Amino acid sequence: PPFVRRKQLEWVRWFVDEYDVDLLRLDTAGFVQWGFLSELQEAARVPIIGEVTATNLSYHARFQQDLPTGRTTLAGVLNFPLY
């Protein structure tokens, strides 16, 4: 992987281990590339709850599992739509 991507994955592993984190919250997860979200979730080895503001629930649900690939994206999502 590219340098920055690799370093971010190494950092999240270090952060979780160093501070004994048991869950991460990722704000604005909807603006992060799909492939990277899956890699980040795997690298963290703890659940990541992503904040995804969307009114389309099918789109929102894809942040937990990408149906075309079946790959887990994030452990969970939060949604705060503005009505």
Side-chain angles (χ1 to χ4, degrees):
F3 178 79
V4 173
R5 189 179 197 124
R6 187 176 68 246
K7 289 299 178 183
Q8 287 177 323
L9 297 173
E10 289 173 9
W11 176 84
V12 78
R13 285 185 207 115
W14 171 84
F15 184 80
V16 167
D17 292 341
E18 182 71 18
Y19 295 102
D20 197 27
V21 173
D22 59 4
L23 183 128
L24 294 168
R25 176 184 164 147
L26 179 62
D27 288 347
T28 64
F31 297 98
V32 179
Q33 292 179 344
W34 289 97
F36 184 70
L37 288 174
S38 295
E39 289 178 43
L40 188 67
Q41 176 61 79
E42 187 176 311
R45 299 185 307 249
V46 297
I48 298 177
I49 305 299
E51 180 255 333
V52 179
T53 303
T55 56
N56 180 328
L57 294 181
S58 296
Y59 171 78
H60 191 263
R62 285 189 63 198
F63 283 87
Q64 287 186 273
Q65 183 177 27
D66 186 22
L67 293 179
T69 65
R71 188 173 183 181
T72 298
T73 311
L74 295 173
V77 288
L78 302 170
N79 188 11
F80 305 106
L82 299 174
Y83 291 102

